[in-house]
DNA sequence: ATCACAACTGGGAGCGCTCCCACGCGCCCG
DNA sequence: CGGGCGCGTGGGAGCGCTCCCAGTTGTGAT
């Protein structure tokens, strides 16, 4: 049996011990240098850093995690349905933001797709045993208890979006009300007189916000929202299609529709085509999400853009802050949305 | 200072020790049960499992990783550009497949986006120190040395796609040649006589395969590939647009185009519209990827579908196998592609 | 010159687990 | 009826790190 080099780790990689030996210092000192403790003289620090460089030392995560009782990893939890429905730009945008923010922290990103209640359960347990330092939650429904569970267990959590207006769990959201207002104001500004809306599922706060923004904008323009002009969808293309048909039956004179998702706008567009209505000639259309689909529609769809990457970044920053201080401040950020004008309106 | 309950972990969660005490056995035995060793009597196993359930014991990952010198985590490495260009269905499809395959293994998925050469470098080092059990590589370019580096270091790797026809690193690919053939045969079968193609960048093997399939199908139909009918793109919409214009200048009589990506097909479509050519009337169009964009084009785009989720699953299975036996068999899978016929052809 | 105190530093203890050696027991063979 | 064998089992050692306490040095005040 070969004798491993003194101080070498099992896998032949240098350990703290070895770095210490090479730098002519003790283990503790090397640890201090690595963790950026100020209580190390400049001389020593330099020597240690040199030794680290010479040896190509990389700290062993697991050992660190065990000793320090932290994992240097955060989980991004995504309901699987999300990766289908909002695949782009939602999902990848968030990931990009999170990943960018993590880039120089050497914290790892764990991706967890949740398919079933069982997996959900399993994840809670997992998180509960401090196997991650914090959790990023995406697309949480109004009745989801997980955020509270985690928060109660003392696990840092940041959600994307809120479940209600008085959301207690720290979160980063975008200004859905404002985005909807922007859309409707724009429609009104282009001289449209009868603006309808196709909404998302009413059990989702985000959907309710967009309706609120719609109504708000109408009121601000001195018009009363008309329930006949509000049709319910579920963010899917099919629901947009059905809702559009319903709207045209109820109010054939409408000349503009604000759809709470691009996908629904696509469905609506199809319905309009079936009815022989032109876009934007007869009916102007505005969507929400600014997905790549919007850009490629014919005519291209005016849409409200959410700063997905920015939200990912903000969530991550908030989570890291929470992990760091464990202070009592629960960040609640609302990022602005933006209207991207294209041919459909 | 409060006395922690005997055997309890720092964070108040039960440890192996505690489970052992409750089951009236030794630590080793509990470990054996958890790791499914056969050398435990049925009686003992039951008792231990009972104790685990009672206590709600969850093994501590870091401790495990440290002691066993494995991490129970695999990394999925994605060049960031990928999340933009092929956001959907490529990226999310792979993730879904990987995640599904990992669901009942309690192996974690680490997502690593690589933006810069520096980050690339950093990841190599990271992987080198056995901080992950294996690596899944996505969208590797022809000149990328990382796969070989990792493989040489003895780190299990599986790539999606190949860098060349004699790729040595284990990989899972889809049948790009076959897919292209399918597309061209289909076009020919619909009576098109002059079939052009818009290719991807020639430094990518996947792009070359698609050209090969194109040529192959033509030859099989008794026609000689004509270089004037082959225009180079880079998978982007803009390049498709430019290439289409070039093709029409060179060969105004062409009546079908096979595009090596949906994005390029969209660009081509736009060019055709600018030139007053109808689709599929004047020119039939086929894309590659079957992205959601294809479904929503007008007319909807016929496209070659790659089994993204299946590839994700296959890659994961291959990687787990490699990690498990570390046998010398280097899996090389090629999954079939499928033509999805829509209005554009 | 002496003492107090701060600034650094070394290294023991221990995180929760796996690995493996050694031990006890029952059984079969000679 | 004794020795051997193998199955189950207990528990020591140790993974590579952080934490922290005790030491060692250097500095300024007395």
């Amino acid at each position: 049996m070969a004798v491993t080099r003194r101080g070498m780790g099992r896998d032949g990689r240098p350990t703290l011990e070895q770095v210490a030996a090479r730098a002519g210092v003790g283990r503790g000192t090397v640890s201090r240098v690595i963790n950026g403790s100020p209580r190390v003289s400049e001389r020593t620090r330099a020597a240690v850093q040199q030794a680290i460089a010479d040896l190509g030392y990389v700290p062993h995560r697991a050992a660190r995690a065990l000793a320090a009782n932290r994992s240097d990893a955060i989980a991004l939890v995504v309901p699987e349905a999300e990766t289908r429905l909002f695949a782009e730009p939602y999902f990848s945008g968030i990931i990009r933001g999170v990943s960018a923010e993590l880039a120089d922290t050497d914290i790892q990103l764990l991706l967890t797709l949740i398919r079933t209640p069982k997996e959900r359960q399993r994840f809670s347990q997992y998180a509960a045993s401090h196997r991650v330092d914090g959790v990023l939650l995406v697309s949480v429904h109004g009745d989801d208890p997980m955020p509270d569970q985690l928060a109660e267990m003392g696990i840092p959590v940041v959600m994307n979006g809120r479940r209600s207006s008085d959301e207690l769990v720290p979160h980063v959201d975008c200004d859905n009300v404002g985005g909807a207002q922007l859309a409707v104001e724009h429609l009104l500004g282009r001289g449209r007189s009868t603006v309808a809306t196709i909404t998302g599922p009413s059990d989702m706060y985000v959907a309710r916000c967009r309706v609120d923004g719609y109504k708000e904008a109408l009121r601000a323009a001195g018009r009363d929202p008309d329930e006949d002009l509000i049709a319910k969808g579920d963010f899917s293309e099919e629901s947009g299609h059905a809702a559009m048909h319903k709207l045209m039956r109820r109010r054939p004179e409408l000349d503009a529709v604000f759809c709470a998702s691009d996908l629904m706008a696509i469905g609506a567009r199809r319905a309009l085509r079936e009815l022989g209505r032109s876009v934007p000639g007869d009916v102007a259309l505005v969507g929400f999400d600014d997905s790549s689909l919007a850009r490629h529609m014919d005519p291209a769809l005016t849409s409200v853009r959410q700063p997905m990457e920015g939200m990912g970044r903000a969530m991550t920053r908030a989570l890291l802050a929470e992990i760091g201080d464990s202070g009592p401040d629960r960040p609640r950020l609302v990022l602005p949305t933006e209207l991207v004008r294209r041919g459909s309106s």
Side-chain angles (χ1 to χ4, degrees), chain A residues 50-316:
Chain A
Q50 186 55 246
I52 289 177
D54 292 349
L55 262 32
Y57 169 76
V58 183
H60 191 299
R61 276 195 104 79
R64 230 176 169 180
L66 179 59
N69 196 28
R70 59 187 160 75
S71 63
D72 283 339
I74 64 173
L76 174 62
V77 178
V78 187
E80 193 201 10
E82 232 47 45
T83 69
R84 294 186 185 280
L85 200 51
F86 300 109
E88 200 267 342
Y90 193 90
F91 184 49
S92 52
I94 293 254
I95 289 185
R96 232 179 292 132
V98 173
S99 164
E101 202 63 34
L102 249 31
D104 36 33
T105 61
D106 95 356
I107 289 180
Q108 291 186 329
L109 210 213
L110 257 85
L111 219 194
T112 312
L113 295 201
I114 292 197
R115 261 158 292 258
T116 62
K118 198 179 134 213
E119 285 184 15
R120 180 182 217 70
Q121 163 62 31
R122 187 164 157 182
F123 176 78
S124 292
Q125 192 189 37
Y126 188 83
S129 42
H130 287 284
R131 274 32 163 186
V132 288
D133 294 341
V135 178
L136 255 23
L137 250 33
V138 143
S139 181
V140 177
H141 280 245
D143 54 348
D144 192 335
M146 183 145 81
D148 302 304
Q149 281 173 12
L150 294 176
E152 272 168 33
M153 291 169 180
I155 299 165
V157 187
V158 174
M159 311 194 314
N160 182 31
R162 291 169 274 190
R163 290 166 300 172
S164 67
S165 57
D166 54 346
E167 177 62 72
L168 291 175
V169 173
H171 58 263
V172 173
D173 202 354
C174 70
D175 186 6
N176 286 298
V177 176
Q181 278 178 280
L182 241 40
V184 176
E185 281 163 15
H186 164 72
L187 256 8
L188 260 17
R190 311 276 312 194
R192 304 289 166 159
S193 58
T194 313
V195 181
T197 188
I198 300 178
T199 75
S202 54
D203 68 322
M204 286 178 76
Y205 179 66
V206 53
R208 293 202 302 277
C209 283
R210 291 175 192 176
V211 181
D212 289 349
Y214 162 81
K215 290 181 179 170
E216 197 50 51
L218 287 182
R219 283 196 206 97
R223 317 186 184 200
D224 249 4
D226 172 351
E227 287 300 324
D228 271 5
L229 286 172
I230 303 180
K232 205 156 132 184
D234 62 7
F235 285 143
S236 74
E237 177 177 349
E238 215 29 71
S239 76
H241 179 256
M244 190 71 243
H245 272 298
K246 197 186 297 170
L247 282 173
M248 290 307 282
R249 238 176 287 127
R250 293 207 290 233
R251 293 307 199 86
E253 80 278 18
L254 66 79
D255 59 4
V257 184
F258 162 59
C259 302
S261 81
D262 283 354
L263 234 37
M264 293 198 296
I266 287 175
R269 166 75 231 251
R270 184 155 50 88
L272 289 170
R273 191 176 290 130
E274 289 161 7
L275 296 169
R277 307 294 173 110
S278 71
V279 172
D282 298 329
V283 178
L285 224 48
V286 176
F288 211 112
D289 287 343
D290 190 34
S291 65
S292 65
L293 293 175
R295 239 181 333 278
H296 292 298
M297 267 174 74
D298 178 34
L301 181 69
T302 295
S303 189
V304 180
R305 163 183 290 163
Q306 310 180 56
M308 296 319 305
E309 193 164 337
M311 289 213 269
R313 297 189 89 113
M315 288 170 73
T316 310

